[in-house]
């Protein structure tokens, strides 16, 4: 079975940093583009970032460009999101998702940016 | 950016009756290959989203056949032939043709 297990997240002050991780199993991780999607409390889904299979192509939403960095380690079947200069509006649940068509999703991890 | 517009945003339904959600994109979602990357997701309270349909009309494994997708170009529809209690959720369309990827606002289906 495909699994995406997330970790990281938590409470951080505005301007702080946090790193999210997502470990994949059950499929050939190194062959797939992977994504981060977030959801503010009580709101809809917002695409955040995607990285191609070999990290050759990286995309960001304008709302996080220059502050967030997506990366992956195919040897560890892992996806990361380094979040710097965090703002209150970055608060929400962050999901990792596999594939161009967002085939499978992680369990989500809550990020709270508050003083 | 491609704007995805769903309607209605709230959909009260009766058990056993059909339901339909519309999704309109501000640009054609036909990719250069001829494929159309329009997906539908279901999110139940407290759960991660789950993909129901991809490339407009292809139902994911395990998705009941009462769910169907249709459409082309810029107009798409998710239909539930007979709503069941377990279908209470928020439904999102999303386009995977253009960068940045964009979601519709979500449609909350309520019994």
């Amino acid at each position: 079975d495909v699994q995406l297990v997330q970790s990281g997240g938590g409470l951080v002050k505005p301007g702080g940093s946090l790193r999210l991780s997502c470990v994949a199993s059950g499929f050939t991780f190194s062959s797939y583009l992977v994504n981060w999607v977030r959801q503010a409390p009580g709101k809809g889904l917002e695409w955040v970032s995607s990285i191609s299979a070999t990290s050759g192509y990286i995309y960001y939403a304008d709302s996080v460009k220059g502050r967030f960095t997506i990366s992956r380690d195919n040897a560890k079947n892992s996806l990361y999101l380094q979040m710097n200069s965090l703002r209150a509006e970055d608060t929400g649940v962050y999901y990792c998702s596999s594939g161009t068509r967002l085939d499978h999703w992680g369990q989500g991890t809550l990020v709270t940016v508050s003083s | 950016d491609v704007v995805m517009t769903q309607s209605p945003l709230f959909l009260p339904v009766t058990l056993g009756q059909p339901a339909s959600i519309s999704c309109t994109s501000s640009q054609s979602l036909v990719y250069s290959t001829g494929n159309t990357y329009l997906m539908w997701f279901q999110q139940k309270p407290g759960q991660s989203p789950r993909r129901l349909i991809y490339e407009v009309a292809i139902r994911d494994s395990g998705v009941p056949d009462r769910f169907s997708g249709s459409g082309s170009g810029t107009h798409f529809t998710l239909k539930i032939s007979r709503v069941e209690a377990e279908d209470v959720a928020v439904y999102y369309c999303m386009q995977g043709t253009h960068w940045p990827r964009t979601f519709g606002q979500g449609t909350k289906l309520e019994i």
Side-chain angles (χ1 to χ4, degrees), chain B residues 59-81:
Chain B
R59 204 165 41 241
D60 271 279
S61 174
V63 173
D65 61 7
R66 64 179 181 275
F67 289 92
S68 63
S70 63
S72 62
T74 61
H75 288 83
F76 307 93
T77 303
L78 175 69
K79 292 183 179 176
I80 308 174
S81 58

Side-chain angles (χ1 to χ4, degrees), chain A residues 27-68:
Chain A
F27 68 105
T28 307
F29 178 77
S30 58
S31 297
Y32 287 83
L33 174 145
V34 280
N35 316 272
W36 289 102
V37 174
R38 69 183 179 182
Q39 187 169 36
K43 302 297 184 183
L45 300 172
E46 179 189 14
W47 170 82
V48 172
S49 182
S50 300
I51 184 168
S52 64
T54 58
S55 304
Y57 294 93
I58 288 175
Y59 306 89
Y60 295 103
D62 284 346
S63 56
V64 306
K65 203 173 293 184
R67 301 186 300 122
F68 290 12

